[in-house]
Structure formats: C-alpha cells, structure tokens
Amino acid sequence: MSDDEAGGGMTMTTTGDNGTTGGNIAVVGHADLTPDTLLLVESVLRTRLARRPAPAVAMVRTGAGTPLASGRAARAAGCPLAVVIPARIGMPALPPRRDRTAAGELLTLADEVRLLTYDPVDRGSCIGADERLVASSGLLLAVWDGSPSDGRDATAHLVTYARARGVPVEIVWPAGAAREAPPALRAEG
C-alpha cells in the first residue's frame, strides 16, 4: 500500500471561484518571531483571511509560532483551516516537543487535518513539506522580513519557490515586527 493509499500523502487542491484548482491559501513564515510580533501577525492575517475568496481554505503545517498565529487568525476570521501534520507509514507522527502544545491547539482549531509524510525534526523534510503546501495553493501568505534564508528557516526559499511556480505571494510583515536574536547572540547579550 502506498503512502497515499494509507493516508500519508495528501491532495491539497480545491476548486476556486473560477473553476481552477489552487483556491487554498498557504501560510508560512519565520519560526523565530517575538511574542509581540506574533500578536501583530495574527491581527494582520485575521484581516487578510476575512477577505479571502470563497471557498478558500487556509493551510498551515503544524507548529508553534507562525502556524499557530495563522490558525488562530483563520478561526477568528471565519476562514476554514486545514492543518498538515507529519505522518510515518500512513499514521500521524509525534511532532517535536517544542511544537506539541501548539499542535494540540491547531488540531482543535482545524476544520480539516491532512497527513503528509515528512520527518518533523529534519529541516530538509520540513522544507519539502512546505514546498508541497505552497505548490498546492493558489496564494502564499509569507510572514517574512525580506531576509535571505540563513539556515534557521526557509521563508525566503519558499517565497522564491512560489514565485517560480506562478503562485501569487503576499508578504506579511507588520510595522514593529521583529525576530528573536539567534541563540549565539542571545547568550552574549
């Protein structure tokens, strides 16, 4: 049995208002946003998702930070939410410890849960999962400060990936937004 037959794969396209596929809205972004920035981002996303064309669904890969703020924003905006969770051999996989509380909240917010085969502790595997999410969407909302990918996250890569595939991109970076300092800099300060 293939991963798709066992529920490990996913089909993430929907039919948009004009009959085309890809009416979904993927949301990705930096994983190291400050707590105040997460509140700003949630507010901006709530407003943006309230303006979505029906029957668009907001899609996030489970995790703390941007995904959780996005899930809360979708729920508050009345936008259906699809949460993508990691799977192994067609069964849900346990997220990393840092994401478990957020994953639990996202599952309670979700209108739909989709399994995708990827390793949630492997950076390359997570990037591949995000690429599949982006490729299946009709719009990417990227919580991004415009910085290049630096090994901490792949937001810049995902923006480039979306644009190369003709997926429209909207950048979300509210005034006053900030990222946490890298661990080495925090230890020195």
Side-chain angles (χ1 to χ4, degrees):
M1 179 181 297
S2 73
D3 282 343
D4 286 344
E5 292 168 330
M10 69 179 169
T11 302
M12 294 194 296
T13 57
T14 61
T15 303
D17 290 337
N18 63 358
T20 61
T21 60
N24 291 335
I25 302 169
V27 186
V28 301
H30 296 304
D32 58 354
L33 302 178
T34 66
D36 288 342
T37 296
L38 286 170
L39 294 173
L40 292 170
V41 165
E42 184 177 332
S43 176
V44 170
L45 289 174
R46 181 175 43 250
T47 299
R48 175 57 187 91
L49 292 172
R51 295 184 288 122
R52 79 197 180 286
V57 173
M59 301 184 303
V60 298
R61 183 172 50 85
T62 191
T66 297
L68 182 55
S70 303
R72 290 172 177 166
R75 175 59 67 189
C79 178
L81 175 66
V83 175
V84 177
I85 62 172
R88 292 193 184 119
I89 314 169
M91 299 296 293
L94 195 60
R97 183 171 305 280
R98 70 182 179 276
D99 290 333
R100 289 182 190 160
T101 300
E105 184 176 341
L106 278 166
L107 291 175
T108 65
L109 295 170
D111 295 289
E112 183 179 342
V113 175
R114 301 174 185 186
L115 297 177
L116 178 63
T117 301
Y118 73 96
D119 181 350
V121 297
D122 178 78
R123 181 177 187 271
S125 185
C126 290
I127 292 170
D130 283 338
E131 287 174 347
R132 290 176 65 184
L133 190 81
V134 168
S136 69
S137 69
L139 173 66
L140 173 64
L141 297 179
V143 179
W144 182 46
D145 65 357
S147 64
S149 291
D150 61 5
R152 291 190 294 158
D153 72 45
T155 307
H157 165 77
L158 294 167
V159 168
T160 301
Y161 181 88
R163 288 176 175 158
R165 279 151 190 77
V167 176
V169 176
E170 290 182 23
I171 305 303
V172 175
W173 195 253
R179 296 172 70 182
E180 297 281 354
L185 295 177
R186 277 185 274 175
E188 294 172 10

